[in-house]
Amino acid sequence: MYTYIILLRGINVSGQKKMKMDALRTLLEKLGFQNVATYIQSGNIVLQAKDASIRNLEDIIGDEIREHFGFDVPILVKSKTDLERIVKENPFKDAITLEGNRLYFVLLKSVPEQILVESLAQETFENQEFRITDSCVYLWCKNGYGKAKLDNNLLERKLKVQATTRNYRTMLKLLEMVKG
């Protein structure tokens, strides 16, 4: 069995794409996934699967959500190893940065083109610092994410990849869940 973290983008936000986590857990269990657990209402799932293909999991889960809930949802799947590496490689580790819920992980579905990464890395955003890797943009928002100009939507446009954002606390909770 392989342990995966499933991240859904844009559900239960401002009354859009409503999805109850207990209904989602039940749906995933019916598909044969094991040890299905969710964290808060924003589409964070940890589960175990026999299939090692991330692309297959994205397709299966996406198809079932569309069929059961009636809408499409961008889905990112990360392995346990991916998640551990992403959290470990966080470049913003000082205590001031970690407190106050100002550190965000913009998880990328695919590796952005190097020229796009280099172009974005040259830009500056007031009260924000960021570091770009192949799988994550680490984003420190000094005044909070709600006031950030460099957000998930802008990163998707500039890097031309799908992404979903989680705060530091959520990443730590997901890491705790995969270590079980």
Side-chain angles (χ1 to χ4, degrees), residues 100-102 104 127-128 140-149:
N101 199 28
R102 289 185 167 87
Y104 293 85
N127 295 312
Q128 291 182 267
W140 182 42
C141 304
K142 296 175 187 174
N143 294 331
Y145 189 73
K147 297 178 182 178
K149 181 177 179 188

Side-chain angles (χ1 to χ4, degrees), residues 129-155:
E129 292 182 35
F130 63 98
R131 302 292 182 280
I132 307 167
T133 68
D134 286 350
S135 59
C136 183
V137 177
Y138 299 93
L139 181 60
W140 182 42
C141 304
K142 296 175 187 174
N143 294 331
Y145 189 73
K147 297 178 182 178
K149 181 177 179 188
L150 183 62
D151 62 8
N152 197 95
N153 291 333
L154 185 58
L155 284 164

